[in-house]
Amino acid sequence: MNAKAAIKACPLFVGATAQDLEELLRIARPQCYRKGQVLFSEGEEATGFFVPMTGKVKLFKLSPEGRERILRIAQPGRTFAEAAIFDLGLYPANAQALDDCTVLYFPKPEILRLLHDNAQLAIHIIGGISRILRELMDQMEALTFRDVPARLSHYLLDLAGGRPEVVRLPVSKTQLAANLGTVGETLSRTLRRLVEEDLIRVRGRDIEILDPSGLQGIADRYKE
């Protein structure tokens, strides 16, 4: 995915005109990170936000005991850390490259200046932030109203970008179970069930998505 395609794919920039895209491209700075490299840490000054072009970025928080809790995986064409430049100015979580990746970095002064000069783009971005908030509400709903197979299916689809491909779990299965609000034994049973239904194939931490539409059907299911 090139820079223009990554920006056009962003929910944050839905409705942006061709001229808006050129302005965004003008201030975007491509940056490359190696697998495992930290982009920023929680509490650091928020100097800008990011859009992956290639690779994936893990957003996570650490408990006082040092346990990691993944918030989400940023895929190409999806912004992250965008809200931090509009509120307290600090990054609320950590960001780490899951593999070698290239991201577009939008510096805070330049993006705020652009929004000050372009009211229509500012309105589009407010709408984009609203869509992102709805996604977060959907995640909270999933933890409350969806069963473990639905949560796991949603997680795998998000990790794979909705495509039939092989993904590698960025955390241990024990940590994944905690992130999904369950325990390791239940997660293992759920994985076996998805394998038996020919929806996925599991090889250690590598999971092949065989049937994205079938997984989506499970992901959309509510608790009975």
Side-chain angles (χ1 to χ4, degrees), residues 95-128:
Q96 183 180 36
L98 282 178
D99 37 37
D100 293 348
C101 65
T102 301
V103 302
L104 292 175
Y105 168 66
F106 291 85
K108 179 176 181 176
E110 282 84 349
I111 196 70
L112 291 179
R113 189 178 303 116
L114 176 59
L115 297 183
H116 180 271
D117 296 336
N118 189 333
Q120 192 60 48
L121 178 60
I123 291 172
H124 289 316
I125 287 183
I126 290 171

mmCIF file of all heavy atoms in Angstrom, residues 95-128:
data_model
loop_
_atom_site.group_PDB
_atom_site.id
_atom_site.type_symbol
_atom_site.label_atom_id
_atom_site.label_comp_id
_atom_site.label_asym_id
_atom_site.label_seq_id
_atom_site.Cartn_x
_atom_site.Cartn_y
_atom_site.Cartn_z
ATOM 1 N N ALA A 95 3.252 1.737 21.644
ATOM 2 C CA ALA A 95 3.130 1.242 20.274
ATOM 3 C C ALA A 95 4.432 0.557 19.883
ATOM 4 O O ALA A 95 5.524 1.112 20.071
ATOM 5 C CB ALA A 95 2.830 2.384 19.310
ATOM 6 N N GLN A 96 4.302 -0.668 19.337
ATOM 7 C CA GLN A 96 5.469 -1.465 18.972
ATOM 8 C C GLN A 96 5.214 -2.167 17.650
ATOM 9 O O GLN A 96 4.122 -2.688 17.414
ATOM 10 C CB GLN A 96 5.766 -2.497 20.061
ATOM 11 C CG GLN A 96 7.012 -3.335 19.820
ATOM 12 C CD GLN A 96 7.231 -4.333 20.945
ATOM 13 O OE1 GLN A 96 6.275 -4.875 21.500
ATOM 14 N NE2 GLN A 96 8.478 -4.571 21.295
ATOM 15 N N ALA A 97 6.210 -2.167 16.769
ATOM 16 C CA ALA A 97 6.080 -2.821 15.469
ATOM 17 C C ALA A 97 6.024 -4.333 15.653
ATOM 18 O O ALA A 97 6.893 -4.913 16.301
ATOM 19 C CB ALA A 97 7.245 -2.445 14.560
ATOM 20 N N LEU A 98 4.993 -4.964 15.082
ATOM 21 C CA LEU A 98 4.882 -6.423 15.143
ATOM 22 C C LEU A 98 5.765 -7.089 14.101
ATOM 23 O O LEU A 98 6.115 -8.256 14.227
ATOM 24 C CB LEU A 98 3.429 -6.850 14.934
ATOM 25 C CG LEU A 98 2.508 -6.694 16.141
ATOM 26 C CD1 LEU A 98 1.095 -7.101 15.778
ATOM 27 C CD2 LEU A 98 3.012 -7.521 17.315
ATOM 28 N N ASP A 99 6.073 -6.369 13.040
ATOM 29 C CA ASP A 99 6.990 -6.854 12.024
ATOM 30 C C ASP A 99 7.636 -5.630 11.384
ATOM 31 O O ASP A 99 7.340 -4.499 11.764
ATOM 32 C CB ASP A 99 6.265 -7.719 10.965
ATOM 33 C CG ASP A 99 4.882 -7.198 10.644
ATOM 34 O OD1 ASP A 99 4.707 -5.964 10.611
ATOM 35 O OD2 ASP A 99 3.978 -8.022 10.419
ATOM 36 N N ASP A 100 8.540 -5.830 10.440
ATOM 37 C CA ASP A 100 9.117 -4.680 9.755
ATOM 38 C C ASP A 100 7.986 -3.893 9.113
ATOM 39 O O ASP A 100 7.137 -4.471 8.417
ATOM 40 C CB ASP A 100 10.106 -5.138 8.683
ATOM 41 C CG ASP A 100 11.346 -5.797 9.281
ATOM 42 O OD1 ASP A 100 11.541 -5.699 10.511
ATOM 43 O OD2 ASP A 100 12.111 -6.408 8.527
ATOM 44 N N CYS A 101 7.948 -2.599 9.345
ATOM 45 C CA CYS A 101 6.820 -1.825 8.841
ATOM 46 C C CYS A 101 7.250 -0.425 8.427
ATOM 47 O O CYS A 101 8.290 0.085 8.849
ATOM 48 C CB CYS A 101 5.702 -1.758 9.874
ATOM 49 S SG CYS A 101 6.135 -0.879 11.391
ATOM 50 N N THR A 102 6.421 0.170 7.582
ATOM 51 C CA THR A 102 6.582 1.563 7.175
ATOM 52 C C THR A 102 5.294 2.287 7.528
ATOM 53 O O THR A 102 4.208 1.818 7.195
ATOM 54 C CB THR A 102 6.853 1.688 5.666
ATOM 55 O OG1 THR A 102 8.041 0.957 5.334
ATOM 56 C CG2 THR A 102 7.036 3.147 5.271
ATOM 57 N N VAL A 103 5.421 3.409 8.217
ATOM 58 C CA VAL A 103 4.246 4.178 8.622
ATOM 59 C C VAL A 103 4.384 5.611 8.117
ATOM 60 O O VAL A 103 5.491 6.097 7.865
ATOM 61 C CB VAL A 103 4.069 4.184 10.160
ATOM 62 C CG1 VAL A 103 3.943 2.767 10.695
ATOM 63 C CG2 VAL A 103 5.220 4.921 10.838
ATOM 64 N N LEU A 104 3.240 6.259 7.966
ATOM 65 C CA LEU A 104 3.217 7.693 7.709
ATOM 66 C C LEU A 104 3.044 8.397 9.049
ATOM 67 O O LEU A 104 2.138 8.066 9.812
ATOM 68 C CB LEU A 104 2.061 8.060 6.788
ATOM 69 C CG LEU A 104 2.148 7.570 5.345
ATOM 70 C CD1 LEU A 104 0.857 7.911 4.610
ATOM 71 C CD2 LEU A 104 3.344 8.182 4.638
ATOM 72 N N TYR A 105 3.923 9.349 9.313
ATOM 73 C CA TYR A 105 3.860 10.119 10.553
ATOM 74 C C TYR A 105 3.355 11.520 10.229
ATOM 75 O O TYR A 105 3.882 12.196 9.336
ATOM 76 C CB TYR A 105 5.249 10.181 11.183
ATOM 77 C CG TYR A 105 5.397 11.166 12.317
ATOM 78 C CD1 TYR A 105 4.725 10.981 13.509
ATOM 79 C CD2 TYR A 105 6.233 12.279 12.182
ATOM 80 C CE1 TYR A 105 4.875 11.883 14.560
ATOM 81 C CE2 TYR A 105 6.382 13.184 13.221
ATOM 82 C CZ TYR A 105 5.706 12.980 14.408
ATOM 83 O OH TYR A 105 5.847 13.873 15.435
ATOM 84 N N PHE A 106 2.297 11.955 10.930
ATOM 85 C CA PHE A 106 1.716 13.281 10.733
ATOM 86 C C PHE A 106 2.061 14.145 11.948
ATOM 87 O O PHE A 106 1.463 13.980 13.018
ATOM 88 C CB PHE A 106 0.201 13.190 10.569
ATOM 89 C CG PHE A 106 -0.232 12.530 9.293
ATOM 90 C CD1 PHE A 106 -0.330 11.153 9.210
ATOM 91 C CD2 PHE A 106 -0.531 13.284 8.172
ATOM 92 C CE1 PHE A 106 -0.725 10.533 8.028
ATOM 93 C CE2 PHE A 106 -0.927 12.684 6.989
ATOM 94 C CZ PHE A 106 -1.019 11.309 6.916
ATOM 95 N N PRO A 107 3.022 15.075 11.828
ATOM 96 C CA PRO A 107 3.422 15.898 12.967
ATOM 97 C C PRO A 107 2.271 16.776 13.459
ATOM 98 O O PRO A 107 1.503 17.323 12.659
ATOM 99 C CB PRO A 107 4.559 16.767 12.399
ATOM 100 C CG PRO A 107 5.020 16.049 11.168
ATOM 101 C CD PRO A 107 3.805 15.368 10.617
ATOM 102 N N LYS A 108 2.174 16.911 14.763
ATOM 103 C CA LYS A 108 1.072 17.655 15.381
ATOM 104 C C LYS A 108 0.973 19.107 14.901
ATOM 105 O O LYS A 108 -0.124 19.554 14.527
ATOM 106 C CB LYS A 108 1.215 17.599 16.899
ATOM 107 C CG LYS A 108 0.137 18.348 17.662
ATOM 108 C CD LYS A 108 0.310 18.155 19.158
ATOM 109 C CE LYS A 108 -0.784 18.880 19.947
ATOM 110 N NZ LYS A 108 -0.660 18.617 21.402
ATOM 111 N N PRO A 109 2.048 19.882 14.878
ATOM 112 C CA PRO A 109 1.911 21.290 14.452
ATOM 113 C C PRO A 109 1.384 21.426 13.032
ATOM 114 O O PRO A 109 0.519 22.276 12.758
ATOM 115 C CB PRO A 109 3.338 21.844 14.572
ATOM 116 C CG PRO A 109 4.017 20.935 15.536
ATOM 117 C CD PRO A 109 3.432 19.578 15.285
ATOM 118 N N GLU A 110 1.877 20.573 12.118
ATOM 119 C CA GLU A 110 1.463 20.667 10.723
ATOM 120 C C GLU A 110 0.002 20.269 10.531
ATOM 121 O O GLU A 110 -0.738 20.919 9.786
ATOM 122 C CB GLU A 110 2.359 19.803 9.834
ATOM 123 C CG GLU A 110 3.715 20.420 9.525
ATOM 124 C CD GLU A 110 4.729 20.157 10.631
ATOM 125 O OE1 GLU A 110 4.331 19.689 11.718
ATOM 126 O OE2 GLU A 110 5.915 20.440 10.410
ATOM 127 N N ILE A 111 -0.440 19.198 11.221
ATOM 128 C CA ILE A 111 -1.828 18.760 11.042
ATOM 129 C C ILE A 111 -2.786 19.767 11.673
ATOM 130 O O ILE A 111 -3.853 20.064 11.111
ATOM 131 C CB ILE A 111 -2.047 17.336 11.614
ATOM 132 C CG1 ILE A 111 -3.356 16.732 11.075
ATOM 133 C CG2 ILE A 111 -2.038 17.323 13.123
ATOM 134 C CD1 ILE A 111 -3.315 16.383 9.636
ATOM 135 N N LEU A 112 -2.428 20.349 12.822
ATOM 136 C CA LEU A 112 -3.291 21.352 13.433
ATOM 137 C C LEU A 112 -3.361 22.621 12.586
ATOM 138 O O LEU A 112 -4.425 23.241 12.476
ATOM 139 C CB LEU A 112 -2.800 21.686 14.842
ATOM 140 C CG LEU A 112 -2.948 20.575 15.893
ATOM 141 C CD1 LEU A 112 -2.412 21.034 17.238
ATOM 142 C CD2 LEU A 112 -4.394 20.115 16.012
ATOM 143 N N ARG A 113 -2.249 22.988 11.969
ATOM 144 C CA ARG A 113 -2.249 24.158 11.089
ATOM 145 C C ARG A 113 -3.131 23.900 9.870
ATOM 146 O O ARG A 113 -3.900 24.781 9.444
ATOM 147 C CB ARG A 113 -0.821 24.479 10.646
ATOM 148 C CG ARG A 113 -0.675 25.821 9.904
ATOM 149 C CD ARG A 113 0.770 26.098 9.544
ATOM 150 N NE ARG A 113 1.614 26.077 10.735
ATOM 151 C CZ ARG A 113 2.578 25.196 10.953
ATOM 152 N NH1 ARG A 113 2.822 24.230 10.068
ATOM 153 N NH2 ARG A 113 3.290 25.249 12.053
ATOM 154 N N LEU A 114 -3.046 22.697 9.324
ATOM 155 C CA LEU A 114 -3.873 22.353 8.167
ATOM 156 C C LEU A 114 -5.351 22.407 8.535
ATOM 157 O O LEU A 114 -6.174 22.933 7.767
ATOM 158 C CB LEU A 114 -3.493 20.960 7.660
ATOM 159 C CG LEU A 114 -4.321 20.396 6.502
ATOM 160 C CD1 LEU A 114 -4.249 21.310 5.287
ATOM 161 C CD2 LEU A 114 -3.854 18.992 6.142
ATOM 162 N N LEU A 115 -5.713 21.883 9.691
ATOM 163 C CA LEU A 115 -7.116 21.892 10.110
ATOM 164 C C LEU A 115 -7.606 23.313 10.386
ATOM 165 O O LEU A 115 -8.766 23.643 10.145
ATOM 166 C CB LEU A 115 -7.297 21.020 11.353
ATOM 167 C CG LEU A 115 -6.980 19.530 11.173
ATOM 168 C CD1 LEU A 115 -7.271 18.775 12.456
ATOM 169 C CD2 LEU A 115 -7.736 18.931 10.017
ATOM 170 N N HIS A 116 -6.718 24.154 10.904
ATOM 171 C CA HIS A 116 -7.084 25.557 11.149
ATOM 172 C C HIS A 116 -7.406 26.269 9.845
ATOM 173 O O HIS A 116 -8.321 27.114 9.783
ATOM 174 C CB HIS A 116 -5.943 26.268 11.874
ATOM 175 C CG HIS A 116 -6.220 27.714 12.178
ATOM 176 N ND1 HIS A 116 -5.922 28.741 11.297
ATOM 177 C CD2 HIS A 116 -6.773 28.305 13.264
ATOM 178 C CE1 HIS A 116 -6.288 29.892 11.813
ATOM 179 N NE2 HIS A 116 -6.800 29.649 13.016
ATOM 180 N N ASP A 117 -6.668 25.932 8.772
ATOM 181 C CA ASP A 117 -6.850 26.593 7.478
ATOM 182 C C ASP A 117 -7.905 25.928 6.611
ATOM 183 O O ASP A 117 -8.299 26.494 5.583
ATOM 184 C CB ASP A 117 -5.515 26.619 6.713
ATOM 185 C CG ASP A 117 -4.450 27.442 7.428
ATOM 186 O OD1 ASP A 117 -4.835 28.329 8.228
ATOM 187 O OD2 ASP A 117 -3.255 27.185 7.210
ATOM 188 N N ASN A 118 -8.341 24.729 6.982
ATOM 189 C CA ASN A 118 -9.270 23.968 6.129
ATOM 190 C C ASN A 118 -10.407 23.441 7.013
ATOM 191 O O ASN A 118 -10.344 22.327 7.532
ATOM 192 C CB ASN A 118 -8.534 22.813 5.445
ATOM 193 C CG ASN A 118 -9.369 22.121 4.386
ATOM 194 O OD1 ASN A 118 -10.595 22.113 4.462
ATOM 195 N ND2 ASN A 118 -8.719 21.511 3.407
ATOM 196 N N ALA A 119 -11.442 24.261 7.172
ATOM 197 C CA ALA A 119 -12.548 23.908 8.064
ATOM 198 C C ALA A 119 -13.278 22.650 7.607
ATOM 199 O O ALA A 119 -13.709 21.836 8.426
ATOM 200 C CB ALA A 119 -13.529 25.074 8.159
ATOM 201 N N GLN A 120 -13.416 22.480 6.282
ATOM 202 C CA GLN A 120 -14.150 21.319 5.789
ATOM 203 C C GLN A 120 -13.414 20.022 6.118
ATOM 204 O O GLN A 120 -14.025 19.034 6.536
ATOM 205 C CB GLN A 120 -14.374 21.425 4.277
ATOM 206 C CG GLN A 120 -15.373 20.418 3.720
ATOM 207 C CD GLN A 120 -16.742 20.565 4.345
ATOM 208 O OE1 GLN A 120 -17.283 21.662 4.448
ATOM 209 N NE2 GLN A 120 -17.321 19.456 4.800
ATOM 210 N N LEU A 121 -12.092 20.035 5.966
ATOM 211 C CA LEU A 121 -11.311 18.853 6.328
ATOM 212 C C LEU A 121 -11.415 18.587 7.826
ATOM 213 O O LEU A 121 -11.507 17.434 8.256
ATOM 214 C CB LEU A 121 -9.847 19.034 5.918
ATOM 215 C CG LEU A 121 -8.905 17.881 6.275
ATOM 216 C CD1 LEU A 121 -9.349 16.583 5.613
ATOM 217 C CD2 LEU A 121 -7.469 18.217 5.871
ATOM 218 N N ALA A 122 -11.417 19.650 8.625
ATOM 219 C CA ALA A 122 -11.560 19.487 10.073
ATOM 220 C C ALA A 122 -12.878 18.800 10.417
ATOM 221 O O ALA A 122 -12.928 17.924 11.291
ATOM 222 C CB ALA A 122 -11.476 20.854 10.759
ATOM 223 N N ILE A 123 -13.952 19.181 9.707
ATOM 224 C CA ILE A 123 -15.258 18.551 9.937
ATOM 225 C C ILE A 123 -15.207 17.074 9.569
ATOM 226 O O ILE A 123 -15.737 16.214 10.285
ATOM 227 C CB ILE A 123 -16.343 19.284 9.128
ATOM 228 C CG1 ILE A 123 -16.582 20.681 9.714
ATOM 229 C CG2 ILE A 123 -17.653 18.480 9.123
ATOM 230 C CD1 ILE A 123 -17.485 21.549 8.884
ATOM 231 N N HIS A 124 -14.543 16.745 8.436
ATOM 232 C CA HIS A 124 -14.420 15.346 8.027
ATOM 233 C C HIS A 124 -13.657 14.543 9.087
ATOM 234 O O HIS A 124 -14.015 13.396 9.395
ATOM 235 C CB HIS A 124 -13.694 15.242 6.687
ATOM 236 C CG HIS A 124 -14.505 15.727 5.525
ATOM 237 N ND1 HIS A 124 -15.836 15.411 5.364
ATOM 238 C CD2 HIS A 124 -14.169 16.492 4.454
ATOM 239 C CE1 HIS A 124 -16.291 15.961 4.250
ATOM 240 N NE2 HIS A 124 -15.303 16.624 3.682
ATOM 241 N N ILE A 125 -12.609 15.132 9.657
ATOM 242 C CA ILE A 125 -11.803 14.416 10.643
ATOM 243 C C ILE A 125 -12.589 14.229 11.943
ATOM 244 O O ILE A 125 -12.488 13.177 12.595
ATOM 245 C CB ILE A 125 -10.470 15.153 10.884
ATOM 246 C CG1 ILE A 125 -9.572 14.956 9.660
ATOM 247 C CG2 ILE A 125 -9.784 14.660 12.151
ATOM 248 C CD1 ILE A 125 -8.199 15.557 9.780
ATOM 249 N N ILE A 126 -13.402 15.218 12.315
ATOM 250 C CA ILE A 126 -14.271 15.040 13.485
ATOM 251 C C ILE A 126 -15.205 13.848 13.263
ATOM 252 O O ILE A 126 -15.431 13.027 14.150
ATOM 253 C CB ILE A 126 -15.079 16.324 13.760
ATOM 254 C CG1 ILE A 126 -14.151 17.424 14.266
ATOM 255 C CG2 ILE A 126 -16.195 16.055 14.780
ATOM 256 C CD1 ILE A 126 -14.804 18.785 14.363
ATOM 257 N N GLY A 127 -15.749 13.748 12.041
ATOM 258 C CA GLY A 127 -16.582 12.597 11.709
ATOM 259 C C GLY A 127 -15.803 11.301 11.776
ATOM 260 O O GLY A 127 -16.320 10.272 12.238
ATOM 261 N N GLY A 128 -14.545 11.333 11.329
ATOM 262 C CA GLY A 128 -13.708 10.142 11.385
ATOM 263 C C GLY A 128 -13.436 9.704 12.804
ATOM 264 O O GLY A 128 -13.462 8.506 13.123
#
